[in-house]
Amino acid sequence: QVQLQESGPGLVKPSGTLSLTCAVFGASISSGDWWTWVRQPPGKGLEWIGEIHHSGTAHYNASLKSRVTLSVDKSNNQFSLKLTSVTAADTAVYYCVRAYSSALFYWGQGTLVTVSS
Amino acid sequence: EIVLTQSPGTLSLSPGERATLSCRASQSVGSTYLAWYQQKPGQAPRLLIYATDSRATGIPGRFSGSGSGTDFTLTISGLESEDFAVYFCQHYESSPPRYTFGQGTKLEIK
């Protein structure tokens, strides 16, 4: 059974860097799938952040591209998100997701990151 | 960029009734690239339907998807208490790669 688990600080200061890691269980990150981040501000809708393949190829949401970096750690079967220059608008629940067939199949439980001083 | 508009914003129905949720795209999209998710409070979204009409593993048969072009529908036949939640549609574009979501429809108990 595939499980994804997000981890990282729940509080980040404005102008700082948000860093999250997603550990993958029950599947190899070196499969042909895309490993994805989606966020959801409190009480609002879903926003795709980006996706990365085990080869290192990544695609980003154009609105976040200048601030986002995704990476893969095959030795630990995990992938990561870095978002720089954060503001209160980046406060959200961040989900890591396994994607294939143009859909988001397996979701982590999500982690709330609050941007505040 | 393709915009997805869901309607209605809120749908009030009783258990046992049939729910019809709409997702309209701002331009024609391929049926392979349209999916539906259910989200309950405090939980991650769960994939219900992908490629317009394919049920994900473990999804009950009362959930069905249909549509083509710009108009897509999620139908829940015979609502059960656990079906009351928020539903999102999603589209995938391959060039450049990106996912977009509708704003959601809240299905509430009448």
Side-chain angles (χ1 to χ4, degrees), chain A residues 38 40 44-48 51 59 95 99 101-105 107-109, chain B residues 32-33 35 37 39 43-45 47 50 56 88 90 92 97-99 101 103:
Chain A
V38 174
Q40 184 173 35
K44 296 189 178 180
L46 300 166
E47 180 180 35
W48 177 72
E51 62 181 7
H59 305 124
Y95 297 100
S101 299
S102 307
L104 304 168
F105 275 74
W107 295 65
Q109 85 281 4
Chain B
T32 303
Y33 304 119
Y37 302 83
Q39 187 177 33
Q43 295 185 17
L47 177 67
Y50 64 99
F88 295 96
Q90 166 253 302
Y92 176 79
R98 62 185 163 199
Y99 290 80
F101 297 91
Q103 82 281 14

Side-chain angles (χ1 to χ4, degrees), chain A:
Chain A
Q1 181 174 342
V2 178
Q3 292 188 357
L4 291 83
Q5 177 73 52
E6 304 92 348
S7 62
L11 181 64
V12 181
K13 290 186 181 340
S15 78
T17 297
L18 181 159
S19 296
L20 296 174
T21 295
C22 180
V24 179
F25 303 97
S28 171
I29 205 160
S30 296
S31 68
D33 303 327
W34 289 86
W35 304 95
T36 305
W37 291 93
V38 174
R39 70 180 182 178
Q40 184 173 35
K44 296 189 178 180
L46 300 166
E47 180 180 35
W48 177 72
I49 298 171
E51 62 181 7
I52 188 164
H53 189 262
H54 70 84
S55 64
T57 299
H59 305 124
Y60 301 109
N61 186 322
S63 67
L64 298 170
K65 187 174 184 177
S66 63
R67 300 194 291 130
V68 175
T69 302
L70 302 187
S71 60
V72 169
D73 178 356
K74 287 185 278 189
S75 62
N76 288 304
N77 213 42
Q78 62 187 28
F79 61 108
S80 298
L81 162 70
K82 287 190 186 302
L83 180 66
T84 61
S85 305
V86 296
T87 69
D90 295 309
T91 293
V93 175
Y94 286 75
Y95 297 100
C96 59
V97 193
R98 181 187 187 188
Y100 57 92
S101 299
S102 307
L104 304 168
F105 275 74
Y106 297 97
W107 295 65
Q109 85 281 4
T111 187
L112 175 63
V113 179
T114 301
V115 178
S116 175
S117 55

Side-chain angles (χ1 to χ4, degrees), chain B residues 73-96:
Chain B
T73 300
L74 174 69
T75 301
I76 312 171
S77 303
L79 283 167
E80 299 194 6
S81 57
E82 63 262 32
D83 299 336
F84 292 93
V86 177
Y87 292 83
F88 295 96
C89 59
Q90 166 253 302
H91 174 253
Y92 176 79
E93 290 182 71
S94 58
S95 183

Side-chain angles (χ1 to χ4, degrees), chain B residues 19-23 34 36 52 64-68 71-75:
Chain B
T20 303
L21 286 67
S22 173
C23 178
L34 199 289
W36 291 90
T52 296
S64 63
S66 63
S68 64
D71 293 308
F72 297 85
T73 300
L74 174 69
T75 301

